[in-house]
Each structure stands twice: as C-alpha cells, then as structure tokens.
Amino acid sequence: MARKPATLSMREAAALPLAVITAWEVLVDRAGVRAGQKVLVHGGGGGVGSVAVQVAAARGAEVFATASAARTPLVRRLGAVPIDYTSVPVERYVAEHTGGAGFDIAFDTVGGPVLDASFETVRTYTGHVVSALGWGTHALAPLSFRAATYSGIFTLLPMLTGRGREHHGEILREAAALVHEDKLRPLLDGTRYTLADVADAHRSVESGTADGKVVVDVEP
C-alpha cells in the first residue's frame, strides 16, 4: 500500500497502480533502465505504455514509442519520439533512430507478433526485450542471433501468492514521488462508467478502443 498522491484525483489514482507496477517491474527491476539508454516502448499510447514512457524518461533514458498515427501527438507530449507502426517498418525505425545498432531495451505491451518484432529491435549482446504479454509461441532465433536477452513479467504474482507484496508498496511510493515532481500522470479513457455499465467497460478494454486506462466509478 501507499498513500494517494495529493495532486491526483481519485479516478487518476485508481488508474495508476497496476500500470505503474507493471512498467516499473519491466524497466527498473528487470531491465535496469538508466540515463543514456535508448528505450523502445510498444503501445506507447496505451494505459501501461504511456506510464512506461514517463518512467523511462524520468530515469534519464531517451524514449521511443510505437503508436497509431492518431496517437503520435500524445506520445510526443508524454516525452517519447513517436513511431507510427502502421506505416514505418521495424527495419526502418531501427535504422533511423539507432543507426542500425538497436535499442538497449524494448518493452512489449501488446504481445503476439509485436513481441516477435521486438526481438529484431535490440542491440547485440546488451539488448534486452521484456514483455508483460508473452503468452504464445514465438521464435527466439532473431534474439539469439543478437546474443541478447528476454524476460517476461507477471505483475499479479505477488497478489496471488502473497510473496513480494512489500515491493509493490515501494514501487507505488516511488511513483507517488514522480507524480509530485510532475514527471508522471496516468492516462485515463474519457468515458465514465459505473457498476451498472461494467460490461461496457470490459468491452471497451477487450476491443482495444479504450484511450487509456478504463476506470469504473463505484457510486455510494
């Protein structure tokens, strides 16, 4: 547990924990992001991706993020160089933004073929791909040819097992400090839902039409 940042509304505070814990475990705990690195975030306009962009930027990394053309302005406002994945192939943006060397860290928030593409985006020897959605069958050869590494994270594990919950509190306190420094803000979907609309909220998440984190208001 951690205190709600004073500058966030209750809705914003509700949207932050799962996204920031996921991004923190990927970028800080697993990949050790630091100043001077080039970080690629797939899905930088989404709920987790938007938080990941801000966390990486706050730790001094140069951040790049894939997004649809409609969301590239948002990604830029968050502090990342936007990459329109609908029109720019992997080989081109790796060449353009890293001189062909590859990114230091690639964070996949999408899964499926995006994880496979991530294996082709990182540096030889030191590159690290991390995914929160590594559910499926994937060919590791492109990563192996780079002698790079892959990690998967499962954010809910401490909640399900009871082990490691204290660290979640530590992450939330670190996140609250970033909010206080105006370096982190959750991205909320604009649609308001109550418990009566919870099925619609689920459909919005499942369809991928949500523009940020979906929040359900529990009315007294």
Side-chain angles (χ1 to χ4, degrees), residues 75-110:
V75 167
R76 194 179 298 280
R77 288 197 302 273
L78 292 172
V81 175
I83 299 169
D84 179 2
Y85 70 88
T86 65
S87 62
V88 183
V90 172
E91 298 83 2
R92 182 171 144 197
Y93 68 70
V94 170
E96 180 179 345
H97 297 300
T98 73
F103 298 92
D104 296 288
I105 301 168
F107 177 17
D108 163 40
T109 72
V110 182

Side-chain angles (χ1 to χ4, degrees), residues 189-215:
D189 182 76
T191 306
R192 301 293 291 253
Y193 299 98
T194 68
L195 287 178
D197 316 309
V198 72
D200 293 331
H202 276 286
R203 278 190 284 271
S204 178
V205 173
E206 290 171 356
S207 66
T209 58
D211 189 15
K213 296 293 288 184
V214 171
V215 176

